[in-house]
Amino acid sequence: MGNFTELDAYLFGQGTHYDIYKKLGAHLSVDGKKKGVRFAVWAPNAKRVFVIGEFNGWDETANEMERVEPESIGVFETFVPNIGTGVLYKYLIETADGTLLYKADPYANEAELRPGTASKVADIEHFKWTDSKWMKDRAACKDPYEKPMAIYEVHPGSWMRHPGREDEGFYTYRQLAHALADYVKEMGYTHVELMGILEYPFDGSWGYQVTGYYAPTSRYGTPEDFAYFVDYLHKKGIGIILDWVPAHFPKDAHGLADFDGTPIYEYADPRMGEHPDWGTKIFDYGKSEVKNFLIGSALLWIEHYHIDGLRVDAVASMLYLDYGKNDGEWIPNKYGENKNLEAIEFFRHINTLILGRNPGTVMIAEESTAWPQVTGKAQYGGLNFTYKWNMGWMHDFLDYMKLDPYFRKDNHHKMTFAMSYNGSEHYILVLSHDEVVHLKCSMINKMPGEEADKFANLKAGYAFMMGHPGKKLLFMGQDIGQYREWSEERELDWYVLENPHNKGLQEFVKELLHIYRKYPCMYELDGGGEGFEWINADDAEKSIYTFLRKGKDAKKRLLFVFNFTPVARDDFRVGVPELKDYKLILTSEEERFAGSGNVPAKKTYKAEKRPWDNREYSIRYPLPPYGVAVFEY
């Protein structure tokens, strides 16, 4: 009797086989007294399937697979004795018309290093985890919204490389664990978000065109090495989020497209199953086995590899049937609308399942439209994501920051508008890799003015982002003011830190991150309006913004003041809520931040009973050009 049982077939056919990765793919096994590997693959419309590999000299007929009962489920299985881990293999699929296809295993746990396209037998069950404290604390987390979240987005192959090597000089997962944990810990980020971990063939896709949904890329080591990476970061108190791409997949010959000679993973009609702009295939979210494939992948990363959350890429492209398509290139749903009802149901299922089974984890939507209730509860019509990337804030923020300061007064609303809809979703404010590629310029080179002005502008912008409600994400290189756009082909320009301006910016971001984590008022009440209060949102003429951040108790609150012009306001007065002392805890003028060094000797400012900004009380503070000042009270 085969390993794939009738119960497995039933659950898989329902889309609810949540351990499917333990049944399909290649697994060490024993048959009678013989040790070997059991192979199982879903290919419902294949005439015959063979497993070929190093173990049989790639002999195309040596190991034919058997269609398991019930035959309608379309799973083929075989046992190959006397082989073990590390063996390369593929499935040879004979289609209904006799064509031969050579396919990698969709459920493989390891892949051959590109440009090779074979799968590799792996044993992922024997890693000794030592992050039990992290996992216990994660499971005990009742409300992730009340926790700090400052994410460092990382592309592992281009964060740092070994110099002078003939190969690409990639850090292995184990080397990266130590170097990255040290950096993230020192800077004060709470999480890393990793790009390009699920196996993918083409470096230039950055991992967004996946062929191996169950395999960490072999570019940086083995599955066990990846487990070590996760385990090590957890022990250092750092959470890990993975980019996960259920929106589409590439057409590579060894991949999922037309897997058994027919479109079993993608919608059959190209108007549903193809992205014209991207040249990729769209998963069929109405098919139980396809949904199960994707759900099983998500659960593998979160439950087996202890990943703390998934950032789901290109959500909008899944929700809209006409996304990136012209008239005649898409089919409306049964109500004549452009909503993909099957994708909506898929999101509700997977998000409810993952968050329900794994308290303390997060599901994050990269969703670029005004789709309602992305983070709303499924029972009330929402998609049940934990967070949504705030792309609207990002576009407004960058539009404003790029402007010559003279024109900012006419665009003042761009920095205040996000607060008008802040309560509609749970947001993450993002400055991601997408903003520093394709001739969009690096963050520092988006800023107006000469070099010193650019850095002063960027410090003010980052401080505004940190003070604004919402969790945070910065892409690597942005915290050091890298001048060049990011490229996956080289490491970050770490040498820029020899420049005092770049080093000062890095120190400033570090200080912001430590303040963010130190004061609960910065993150406890992000979602609604109760954690934030404008003092003055309307000072367009001077391009000055002032606001308060408040936590659950009144012990420590923060007052933020921003000057987005090069004009000093030596006698600047700001309204304050109470007749108290206001202690200056951050000014961008400090020499360690490459500021002017003109730091007021006075650290505590006593409120006066002088009405200002529609408040009874106020304080006076010498606000420098592009000045940032944060007060605790």
Side-chain angles (χ1 to χ4, degrees):
M1 172 159 168
N3 197 39
F4 199 85
T5 66
E6 280 191 36
L7 178 60
D8 292 325
Y10 172 77
L11 293 172
F12 188 46
Q14 297 293 307
T16 56
H17 197 317
Y18 300 138
D19 292 327
I20 190 65
Y21 65 91
K22 294 179 179 175
K23 291 301 182 104
L24 293 180
H27 299 281
L28 298 185
S29 185
V30 177
D31 193 355
K33 292 186 177 176
K34 288 183 177 174
K35 289 183 177 178
V37 174
R38 185 169 297 283
F39 296 90
V41 65
W42 179 57
N45 302 308
K47 189 192 288 183
R48 294 195 294 173
V49 182
F50 303 84
V51 61
I52 60 175
E54 293 177 317
F55 55 88
N56 62 14
W58 302 94
D59 183 331
E60 300 196 345
T61 56
N63 294 94
E64 184 168 359
M65 302 177 77
E66 189 181 340
R67 192 185 274 266
V68 304
E69 295 291 339
E71 290 194 2
S72 59
I73 198 67
V75 170
F76 289 79
E77 186 176 59
T78 195
F79 176 79
V80 179
N82 305 318
I83 65 170
T85 56
V87 172
L88 294 178
Y89 70 98
K90 274 190 178 181
Y91 296 119
L92 171 60
I93 296 173
E94 184 183 341
T95 69
D97 67 2
T99 305
L100 299 180
L101 304 175
Y102 300 83
K103 293 288 188 177
D105 186 349
Y107 287 86
N109 293 127
E110 190 173 1
E112 182 183 12
L113 181 63
R114 54 97 179 95
T117 57
S119 300
K120 192 182 274 193
V121 176
D123 178 11
I124 63 171
E125 297 299 331
H126 290 98
F127 181 77
K128 300 245 182 322
W129 291 92
T130 59
D131 63 348
S132 55
K133 183 183 184 309
W134 175 274
M135 296 298 283
K136 190 176 171 187
D137 290 347
R138 182 176 95 178
C141 175
K142 294 285 186 284
D143 188 351
Y145 300 122
E146 293 184 3
K147 302 280 186 193
M149 180 179 267
I151 302 166
Y152 186 56
E153 187 188 24
V154 175
H155 177 268
S158 59
W159 181 70
M160 204 173 269
R161 291 191 180 182
H162 298 291
R165 293 229 310 236
E166 285 186 16
D167 64 5
E168 290 136 317
F170 289 148
Y171 276 38
T172 66
Y173 288 119
R174 290 172 187 262
Q175 292 165 339
L176 186 70
H178 291 259
L180 187 59
D182 287 348
Y183 185 79
V184 165
K185 198 90 178 138
E186 185 192 347
M187 287 298 291
Y189 295 100
T190 63
H191 293 71
V192 294
E193 179 180 314
L194 298 177
M195 297 165 59
I197 292 299
L198 281 66
E199 190 60 85
Y200 61 104
F202 175 52
D203 287 11
S205 83
W206 310 331
Y208 292 110
Q209 295 196 8
V210 175
T211 48
Y213 279 81
Y214 288 76
T217 179
S218 52
R219 287 166 177 80
Y220 319 120
T222 66
E224 192 163 288
D225 294 334
F226 179 69
Y228 177 91
F229 173 90
V230 177
D231 194 58
Y232 186 83
L233 262 65
H234 279 171
K235 286 190 293 182
K236 294 293 181 181
I238 300 163
I240 302 164
I241 296 160
L242 284 197
D243 278 4
W244 189 66
V245 193
H248 62 130
F249 57 89
K251 296 177 181 176
D252 294 64
H254 69 285
L256 300 175
D258 290 316
F259 187 77
D260 64 1
T262 66
I264 59 169
Y265 282 95
E266 63 268 44
Y267 285 109
D269 189 320
R271 291 173 298 173
M272 290 284 285
E274 300 223 8
H275 272 304
D277 287 355
W278 299 343
T280 53
K281 297 282 192 179
I282 301 170
F283 283 107
D284 183 345
Y285 308 108
K287 197 179 285 180
S288 297
E289 296 88 350
V290 174
K291 286 186 285 190
N292 208 148
F293 171 77
L294 291 169
I295 289 168
S297 165
L299 289 171
L300 170 89
W301 297 108
I302 287 193
E303 296 182 353
H304 177 80
Y305 283 112
H306 295 194
I307 294 300
D308 303 296
L310 300 176
R311 196 277 280 180
V312 182
D313 184 63
V315 166
S317 75
M318 297 170 66
L319 294 172
Y320 297 96
L321 293 165
D322 58 348
Y323 186 91
K325 297 179 181 181
N326 300 312
D327 288 349
E329 293 179 343
W330 63 284
I331 307 171
N333 66 24
K334 62 185 179 183
Y335 303 116
E337 301 169 336
N338 66 343
K339 297 174 182 172
N340 187 332
L341 304 176
E342 293 165 346
I344 294 167
E345 195 47 50
F346 168 74
F347 280 135
R348 289 174 180 158
H349 181 172
I350 193 169
N351 290 336
T352 306
L353 175 77
I354 285 177
L355 301 175
R357 276 173 59 131
N358 301 279
T361 58
V362 295
M363 294 293 285
I364 301 166
E366 188 237 349
E367 201 285 311
S368 52
T369 73
W371 187 280
Q373 293 201 74
V374 172
T375 59
K377 295 297 179 198
Q379 61 264 41
Y380 303 123
L383 299 181
N384 216 65
F385 281 96
T386 320
Y387 294 109
K388 169 178 165 158
W389 273 20
N390 195 338
M391 314 289 269
W393 172 86
M394 179 268 294
H395 287 300
D396 287 344
F397 173 82
L398 291 179
D399 286 350
Y400 182 86
M401 293 303 301
K402 287 176 196 169
L403 290 169
D404 182 296
Y406 179 79
F407 297 107
R408 285 179 175 165
K409 60 179 178 288
D410 301 320
N411 291 268
H412 195 75
H413 63 283
K414 285 190 182 295
M415 296 290 262
T416 61
F417 181 59
M419 282 312 300
S420 69
Y421 60 80
N422 187 61
S424 63
E425 302 277 7
H426 293 285
Y427 285 114
I428 299 178
L429 307 184
V430 293
L431 294 172
S432 76
H433 66 276
D434 275 330
E435 309 323 311
V436 291
V437 289
H438 302 322
L439 305 179
K440 291 181 188 172
C441 291
S442 63
M443 283 302 295
I444 195 66
N445 280 330
K446 292 183 201 294
M447 300 298 118
E450 300 296 320
E451 186 178 45
D453 292 328
K454 286 179 182 293
F455 279 93
N457 265 294
L458 193 52
K459 282 186 283 185
Y462 284 161
F464 187 90
M465 174 188 185
M466 281 293 171
H468 194 287
K471 310 307 183 192
K472 327 292 175 191
L473 178 143
L474 275 183
F475 180 56
M476 63 183 202
Q478 296 181 359
D479 56 7
I480 62 173
Q482 175 164 314
Y483 297 99
R484 292 195 291 179
E485 288 188 337
W486 168 65
S487 167
E488 80 283 352
E489 295 178 356
R490 58 176 185 255
E491 75 166 13
L492 293 181
D493 295 339
W494 292 104
Y495 59 82
V496 300
L497 289 172
E498 293 166 18
N499 178 342
H501 282 302
N502 296 81
K503 186 64 184 166
L505 176 69
Q506 185 191 39
E507 286 298 315
F508 187 70
V509 173
K510 181 160 92 173
E511 188 67 19
L512 287 172
L513 287 164
H514 284 275
I515 287 173
Y516 172 73
R517 295 182 67 163
K518 178 180 175 183
Y519 291 90
C521 65
M522 292 278 275
Y523 53 79
E524 269 184 343
L525 299 172
D526 266 336
E530 61 271 31
F532 176 91
E533 187 181 331
W534 287 111
I535 294 287
N536 192 338
D538 301 318
D539 196 350
E541 199 53 42
K542 297 193 189 79
S543 296
I544 289 175
Y545 301 86
T546 51
F547 59 73
L548 304 174
R549 290 305 308 268
K550 301 180 285 186
K552 284 181 160 183
D553 62 44
K555 281 179 187 165
K556 281 188 179 169
R557 294 178 172 181
L558 297 178
L559 164 66
F560 286 81
V561 181
F562 302 93
N563 177 8
F564 282 104
T565 72
V567 181
R569 308 287 176 184
D570 293 332
D571 60 348
F572 179 72
R573 187 171 286 278
V574 57
V576 292
E578 296 176 61
L579 195 62
K580 294 195 167 175
D581 288 344
Y582 291 77
K583 179 184 167 191
L584 183 66
I585 62 165
L586 177 70
T587 165
S588 50
E589 293 304 293
E590 286 189 48
E591 282 183 10
R592 66 186 171 123
F593 306 140
S596 66
N598 296 328
V599 178
K602 188 174 167 187
K603 287 287 177 278
T604 303
Y605 294 79
K606 209 169 190 59
E608 305 169 53
K609 198 163 185 182
R610 182 169 172 183
W612 207 264
D613 293 328
N614 296 315
R615 309 271 169 164
E616 286 185 55
Y617 316 110
S618 59
I619 60 171
R620 210 175 96 196
Y621 174 77
L623 190 59
Y626 301 120
V628 174
V630 183
F631 301 86
E632 173 196 301
Y633 71 98

